[in-house]
């Protein structure tokens, strides 16, 4: 390697080491981002490997139909959580001035009230599905036809009730970008939760085992949120000023979160209705594989993106924001676009290695879904609007994204009956919203259109690297699965 390049690499590692050794209060913004990125990447890497190993083991113990049915449970929970999201975490992270005890206790009390109401709603949905099955309204062979599913949904109310007890004290650590304890907690809970779930599935071999694993992991998370983080003790309190602030800002966040849920769940709702349980289960597995990569980028930005853009806009003019933004995004674009190209080329090989023949159809689904990975980095600029609390703009962008995916899926499935077209819609539905987002960000002076095109050669590079890897695999003499 060129000596000058070695010197640059050495300087970067020394910078990281210096940032890690410094007390948190003495780190600059860039050093905090650097340390946070390192922690997030480590955390997500361990979590990703744990989830992948867990999924591979569980697919040996459960059928695609089981995964399809449990995917219904997950999207019911996700839907209810998102459409009632008051953004407690966001409120703590962006609260002006010092976050006092009354504010935190009010946040916790509102969470508990919301959790109780959601638990009742989940039980109602489960009982409603019992009636639908009894009346013969559920298509035979669909994910909704599983006899245990309604009762598992009812049992899932325990997950929401437990989640509502999470202590908001841990958000204070995120607010200050102190992530060491948070990362350690999340890694530990991920590994323990996966081990518990695998053990329960091996013992019970049913949907109930997946639910019990989810309940146990949530209970551990709640306990850790109280035991590991310092701050005011939690007790029931609804301070008038704090409650008013929570509800006033929460209504905008709830609207945006509801749109996000409508977007995120569109594919699962439509595919669960128009595909069989096995096909829906295979789609769920493909999404899990993709989330190992998409989730890493979203996790890093979701952890400190809001704080980063808040400080960035307070420090730089628009030209400086643009410069720092693309410096920040370069690693994400390279990772996402190259990974997308590699997955597009290697999906059959990856699926053949990881899963048995029952899951062979996961490969073409994964190939098409991978086309959407390079679009994730472009959407990071949304955090700049969120940092300015421009909730109307965020809601407008959410409406475009939601309308795009629902319209596309309705045309693809009920009208044309084409699951293939539906997969293209899921992968590329963000294009209309991103076009408007880039136009608005360009008017603010935050982005440069020429920088957005770099994902195309990076995707091509990923395909090329994958082809070289597959060719080498054959040359070495290892038979392809």
């Amino acid at each position: 390697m060129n000596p000058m390049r070695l010197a640059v690499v050495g300087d970067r590692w020394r910078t990281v080491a210096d940032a890690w050794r410094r007390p948190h209060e003495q780190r600059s913004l860039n050093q905090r981002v650097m340390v946070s990125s390192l922690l997030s990447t480590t955390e997500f890497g361990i979590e990703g490997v744990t989830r992948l190993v867990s999924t591979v083991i569980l697919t040996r113990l459960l059928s695609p139909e089981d995964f399809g049915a449990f995917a219904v449970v997950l999207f019911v929970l996700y839907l209810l959580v998102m459409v009632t999201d008051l953004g407690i975490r966001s409120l703590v992270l962006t609260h002006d001035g010092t976050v006092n005890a009354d504010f935190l206790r009010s946040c916790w009390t509102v969470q508990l009230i919301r959790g109780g109401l959601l638990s009742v709603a989940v039980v109602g949905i489960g009982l409603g599905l019992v009636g639908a099955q009894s009346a013969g309204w559920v298509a035979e062979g669909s994910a909704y036809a599983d006899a245990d599913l309604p009762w598992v949904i009812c049992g899932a109310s325990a997950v929401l009730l437990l989640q509502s007890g999470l202590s908001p004290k841990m958000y204070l650590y995120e607010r200050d970008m102190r992530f060491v304890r948070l990362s350690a907690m999340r890694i530990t809970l991920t590994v323990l939760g996966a081990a518990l779930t695998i053990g329960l599935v091996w013992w019970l071999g049913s949907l109930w085992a997946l639910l019990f694993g989810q309940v146990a992991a949530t209970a551990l998370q709640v306990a850790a949120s109280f035991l590991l983080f310092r701050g005011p003790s939690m007790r029931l309190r609804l301070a008038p000023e704090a409650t008013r602030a929570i509800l006033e800002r929460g209504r905008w966040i709830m609207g945006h979160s509801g749109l996000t849920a409508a977007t995120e769940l569109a594919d699962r709702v439509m595919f669960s209705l128009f595909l069989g349980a096995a096909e829906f289960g295979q789609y769920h597995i493909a999404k899990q594989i993709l989330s190992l990569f998409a989730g890493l980028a979203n996790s890093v930005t979701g952890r400190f993106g809001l704080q980063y853009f808040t400080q960035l806009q307070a420090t730089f003019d628009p030209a400086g924001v643009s410069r720092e933004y693309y410096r920040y995004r370069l690693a994400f674009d390279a990772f996402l676009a190259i990974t997308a190209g590699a997955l597009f080329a290697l999906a059959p090989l990856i699926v053949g290695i990881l899963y048995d023949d029952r899951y062979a159809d996961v490969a073409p689904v994964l190939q098409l879904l991978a086309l959407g990975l390079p679009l994730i980095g472009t959407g990071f600029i949304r955090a700049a609007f969120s940092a300015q609390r421009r909730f109307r703009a965020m809601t407008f962008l959410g409406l475009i994204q939601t309308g795009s995916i629902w319209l596309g899926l309705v045309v693809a499935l009920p009208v044309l009956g084409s699951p293939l077209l539906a997969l293209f819609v899921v992968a590329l539905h963000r294009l209309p919203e991103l076009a408007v987002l880039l136009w608005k960000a360009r008017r603010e002076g935050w982005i440069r259109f020429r920088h957005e095109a770099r994902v195309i050669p990076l995707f091509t590079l990923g395909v090329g690297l994958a082809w070289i890897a597959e060719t080498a695999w054959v040359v070495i003499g290892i038979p392809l699965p």
Side-chain angles (χ1 to χ4, degrees):
M1 183 181 287
N2 187 304
M4 292 184 64
R5 190 160 187 82
L6 279 173
V8 171
V9 173
D11 287 341
R12 288 178 179 173
W13 276 109
R14 280 190 291 273
T15 302
V16 173
D18 178 61
W20 185 265
R21 285 193 299 267
R22 286 176 181 268
H24 174 78
E25 295 75 13
Q26 296 180 17
R27 292 173 185 157
S28 66
L29 174 60
N30 283 335
Q31 287 175 327
R32 291 184 184 188
V33 169
M34 196 178 300
V35 171
S36 300
S37 298
L38 180 62
L39 285 169
S40 294
T41 303
T42 303
E43 174 190 335
F44 200 87
I46 295 172
E47 289 181 348
V49 170
T50 303
R51 286 203 308 269
L52 181 61
V53 172
S54 172
T55 302
V56 170
I57 295 172
L58 291 175
T59 55
R60 264 63 177 180
L61 301 173
L62 298 171
S63 68
E65 289 82 359
D66 291 323
F67 280 101
F70 195 66
V72 173
V73 178
L74 294 178
F75 85 62
V76 168
L77 296 182
Y78 181 78
L79 174 63
L80 290 176
V81 167
M82 291 297 286
V83 298
T84 62
D85 180 26
L86 292 171
I88 298 298
R89 173 180 173 270
S90 176
L91 289 169
V92 175
L93 294 182
T94 61
H95 185 71
D96 294 328
T98 304
V99 179
N100 58 35
D102 274 352
F103 185 79
L104 285 179
R105 288 166 181 160
S106 298
C107 287
W108 188 65
T109 304
V110 169
Q111 275 185 182
L112 289 174
I113 295 171
R114 170 175 167 265
L117 295 174
L118 288 181
S119 298
V120 173
V122 170
V123 172
I125 291 172
L127 295 177
L129 184 54
V130 171
Q133 288 180 344
S134 300
W137 296 344
V138 176
E140 186 177 349
S142 77
Y144 299 92
D146 190 291
D148 288 335
L149 179 60
W151 307 110
V152 173
I153 291 176
C154 291
S157 61
V159 175
L160 296 182
L161 197 58
L162 285 168
Q163 278 182 343
S164 68
L166 280 170
S167 172
K169 290 186 294 185
M170 62 184 182
Y171 303 142
L172 295 177
Y173 284 66
E174 285 194 71
R175 178 183 169 95
D176 293 334
M177 299 178 75
R178 293 182 290 170
F179 295 116
V180 175
R181 192 168 298 186
L182 282 161
S183 294
M185 179 193 77
R186 288 167 178 162
I187 290 170
T188 304
L189 291 179
T190 298
V191 175
L192 283 176
L196 279 170
T197 302
I198 291 170
L200 288 166
V201 170
W202 178 79
W203 179 36
L204 299 174
S206 69
L207 280 180
W208 287 102
L210 295 173
L211 173 63
F212 294 153
Q214 194 89 1
V215 171
T218 305
L220 289 172
Q221 183 184 20
V222 173
S225 72
F226 279 92
L227 297 174
L228 299 180
F229 303 98
R230 297 177 181 175
S233 60
M234 290 296 106
R235 56 176 178 262
L236 297 178
R237 174 84 167 113
L238 286 175
E241 185 177 347
T243 305
R244 187 163 50 250
I246 293 168
L247 296 178
E248 183 178 339
R249 288 189 56 191
R251 64 191 177 95
W252 287 106
I253 295 172
M254 189 185 300
H256 176 63
S257 297
L259 287 173
T260 301
T263 303
E264 294 290 331
L265 293 177
D267 58 336
R268 279 166 275 185
V269 171
M270 296 297 286
F271 285 146
S272 68
L273 291 173
F274 290 92
L275 297 180
E279 290 81 6
F280 184 48
Q282 290 168 336
Y283 176 79
H284 178 66
I285 295 295
K287 289 276 285 191
Q288 283 191 321
I289 296 172
L290 196 72
S291 72
L292 296 176
F293 308 100
L296 174 58
N298 287 325
S299 174
V300 173
T301 297
R303 171 169 284 192
F304 61 81
L306 192 58
Q307 305 95 298
Y308 179 72
F309 277 102
T310 299
Q311 296 186 45
L312 205 62
Q313 291 170 342
T315 307
F316 297 99
D317 59 11
V321 171
S322 175
R323 181 183 64 253
E324 295 298 319
Y325 167 62
Y326 280 111
R327 182 181 299 172
Y328 162 80
R329 221 185 89 185
L330 179 60
F332 291 105
D333 282 345
F335 169 71
L336 291 167
I338 292 174
T339 299
L343 284 176
F344 186 80
L346 292 179
L349 179 61
I350 293 170
V351 172
I353 293 171
L354 294 179
Y355 305 108
D356 59 42
D357 292 342
R358 295 176 299 167
Y359 295 89
D361 289 339
V362 170
V365 176
L366 181 59
Q367 285 179 303
L368 293 180
L369 294 181
L371 297 176
L373 270 182
L375 303 180
I376 293 174
T378 304
F380 287 166
I381 197 64
R382 291 184 69 160
F385 290 93
S386 183
Q388 293 185 346
R389 301 178 185 175
R390 292 162 67 172
F391 298 121
R392 290 176 185 263
M394 300 291 288
T395 301
F396 174 67
L397 291 166
L399 281 169
I400 295 174
Q401 188 179 10
T402 303
S404 299
I405 190 167
W406 276 101
L407 178 61
L409 288 176
V410 167
V411 171
L413 290 172
V415 176
L416 299 179
S418 173
L420 180 64
L421 178 59
L423 291 173
F424 276 108
V425 169
V426 173
L428 305 176
H429 72 275
R430 297 194 65 185
L431 286 175
E433 181 236 359
L434 291 178
V436 176
L437 177 63
L438 291 178
W439 172 70
K440 292 175 74 66
R442 180 68 182 87
R443 291 181 62 185
E444 300 286 346
W446 295 336
I447 62 109
R448 300 289 181 269
F449 287 132
R450 67 178 182 274
H451 292 316
E452 300 299 327
R454 64 190 181 192
V455 298
I456 298 174
L458 288 170
F459 178 88
T460 306
L461 174 62
V463 173
L465 291 174
W467 179 81
I468 292 171
E470 190 169 6
T471 302
W473 185 291
V474 174
V475 170
I476 291 172
I478 302 175
L480 296 175

